[in-house]
Amino acid sequence: MKNQSIISYGGYYSTGGSAIRDIFREFSPLIDFPTEFRIIKERGGLLDLDRAINIEIAPENVGLAVQKFLWLSQNLARKNSRFSRCGFSYDDYTNGLFKKISEDYISSLIDYYYPMDWHYIRFGQSWVRQIIDKAYKKYIVLDRRKLLGRNLYPMVALPDKFFVEKTRNYFLSLFEAIRDYRNINKNSILGLHNAVPIFHPELIERVRLFVPGIKVFIVDRDPRDNFLNLSKDSYSRYLPKNCSILKKAQFFINFYKSVRRNKEKLKEMDNVYLYNFEDFCLNYEDTLKRFLNESKILLSANHQFKSKIFNPEESKKNIFIY
């Protein structure tokens, strides 16, 4: 399949992946997805669906994965506004097509629906619903199979190669919709923030089956600055609260090493590029030149607003804070 010119970029949690995101937004025309593209790696997303269908295979898990994927798609599609339920506005960024394309994709995978009931379904029911069902089974429905068959589950039983083919077509349709929204050429480079999980080579290789030719850019950062940035984060995310700074530092070291356990393997992969955030700040021109060369982004857009969104002079304030 033709190289789709797709670029995923991100970092290891507050390590500067947004530097590449901001550089993308300096180009004209805009050639990026306006928010994080999370349908692949999110819990309940494409990789979970793939694992359930092609590795676990158990019909119960496949049905659950299909439901989770549709649920996630619905939430990602929902417009995010001040008074709405949480969403990521994916429908807005695909001219109203994201949810439909996702539902059509799932429909293409399903062979049929069959009656199903198991404890995992009941675990998700409210206490009131469970009590009503128990009473219904005991006093009204003598044949409990009639009650247990009320839930319909999808059966997906197709070879891996057909799953890959249908999933490739799914992403081709999504990328076409995004490019139409951005009003750019159908072969234009397209930037996706945090689209690919960067923690294990096998996951990247699996994604490449579905999005052939995808490039992955990873930005890392001095661990001392990373620790201090996470510590001052308003949520103190990924680190414990209400403990001494020394104890917090010890936990951070474990966390830092854990998410980078396969970093050396990533360096050996084709089309995976690792950068240091400090280089974008201190050696901006050379680092930008390297990024432009490896991404080939200039083939699709002009760097019209250079340094207007990612300002290396301003970003220098975020390094050497230790």
Side-chain angles (χ1 to χ4, degrees), residues 58 70 81-82 88 92 138 178 198 216 218 245 262-263 293 297 309 311 316:
L70 290 172
S81 63
R82 182 174 297 177
F88 266 54
D92 279 4
K138 183 173 183 179
I178 296 169
I198 62 173
V216 180
I218 304 169
I245 190 68
N262 293 305
K263 185 177 178 179
N293 180 60
I297 194 172
I309 299 178
N311 186 325
K316 285 179 182 179

Side-chain angles (χ1 to χ4, degrees), residues 59-201:
E60 299 90 346
N61 289 344
V62 171
L64 186 63
V66 167
Q67 291 180 345
K68 289 292 186 182
F69 186 88
L70 290 172
W71 172 85
L72 177 63
S73 300
Q74 179 181 7
N75 281 275
L76 291 174
R78 184 184 301 117
K79 184 178 181 62
N80 190 40
S81 63
R82 182 174 297 177
F83 299 107
S84 69
R85 295 180 62 191
C86 181
F88 266 54
S89 301
Y90 279 21
D91 261 2
D92 279 4
Y93 303 142
T94 54
N95 294 323
L97 291 175
F98 174 78
K99 183 180 177 183
K100 182 182 185 305
I101 291 173
S102 298
E103 290 175 345
D104 289 347
Y105 164 62
I106 289 298
S107 295
S108 75
L109 300 178
I110 295 173
D111 291 323
Y112 57 87
Y113 287 86
Y114 63 96
M116 181 62 182
D117 182 88
W118 61 313
H119 59 272
Y120 206 97
I121 297 176
R122 294 191 291 275
F123 286 164
Q125 295 173 341
S126 67
W127 176 81
V128 173
R129 172 66 185 273
Q130 292 186 29
I131 295 300
I132 291 175
D133 280 354
K134 288 180 180 180
Y136 193 67
K137 284 187 290 186
K138 183 173 183 179
Y139 299 109
I140 299 178
V141 179
L142 299 181
D143 186 355
R144 64 192 300 265
R145 290 175 296 180
K146 293 181 180 180
L147 180 65
L148 297 179
R150 291 187 305 177
N151 298 293
L152 293 179
Y153 250 41
M155 175 61 71
V156 179
L158 74 169
D160 181 75
K161 66 177 182 178
F162 292 121
F163 177 83
V164 171
E165 178 184 345
K166 291 176 182 294
T167 305
R168 285 182 177 182
N169 290 333
Y170 169 61
F171 283 116
L172 284 173
S173 297
L174 284 183
F175 298 151
E176 180 181 1
I178 296 169
R179 288 182 172 112
D180 285 345
Y181 168 78
R182 283 302 198 193
N183 195 27
I184 56 179
N185 186 280
K186 64 179 181 179
N187 295 317
S188 170
I189 285 173
L190 186 63
L192 306 175
H193 188 202
N194 286 334
V196 177
I198 62 173
F199 306 112
H200 202 291

